[in-house]
Amino acid sequence: MWDHVSIGVRDIDVARKFYDAALRPLGYTCLSESGDMLGYGRDGVALWIGMAARPVPADTGSGLHFCLRAPNRESVIAFHAAAMHAGGTDNGKPGLRADYGENYYAAFVIDPDGYRLEAYCGLP
């Protein structure tokens, strides 16, 4: 449905460190860099991250989160570990989520600006 998502951050250098590390295990890299804007994806940019004067305030009660496709369960585990090492906060350790589906394997983190991210693999 969507072509891309854009989010605003307070510090582009902190964001780059976090997203470079967290997205690498999922096969996503920074494909575009222009001033205070970074574009991440695999075959094309799907996530734009840029400096913002007023980033959206973190609100865990909003239900807003971004779910990223993972190629396998090992990459979900690596995503979580890399995100924690790069300044993220744990919001759900890697594991099966039987309430979501029989093979729903996911991990949840919060980035340094408060955005909630999920890495998900539905393969057995």
Side-chain angles (χ1 to χ4, degrees), residues 14-110:
V14 170
R16 179 167 194 144
K17 176 185 173 199
F18 175 83
Y19 282 94
D20 280 358
L23 298 183
R24 186 173 298 115
L26 304 177
Y28 305 118
T29 59
C30 185
L31 300 175
S32 179
E33 182 175 3
S34 175
D36 288 338
M37 184 69 76
L38 304 169
Y40 288 88
R42 183 176 294 129
D43 300 320
V45 174
L47 175 62
W48 288 102
I49 299 169
M51 290 288 294
R54 292 188 320 268
V56 174
D59 182 357
T60 57
S62 72
L64 174 68
H65 79 281
F66 301 102
C67 182
L68 304 159
R69 232 180 248 130
N72 52 51
R73 292 180 181 190
E74 291 77 19
S75 65
V76 172
I77 294 167
F79 156 83
H80 188 268
M84 295 301 91
H85 184 71
T89 304
D90 176 45
N91 199 33
K93 298 198 181 321
L96 282 170
R97 304 301 196 275
D99 291 351
Y100 300 161
E102 181 181 349
N103 290 309
Y104 200 107
Y105 194 89
F108 302 84
V109 300
I110 301 172

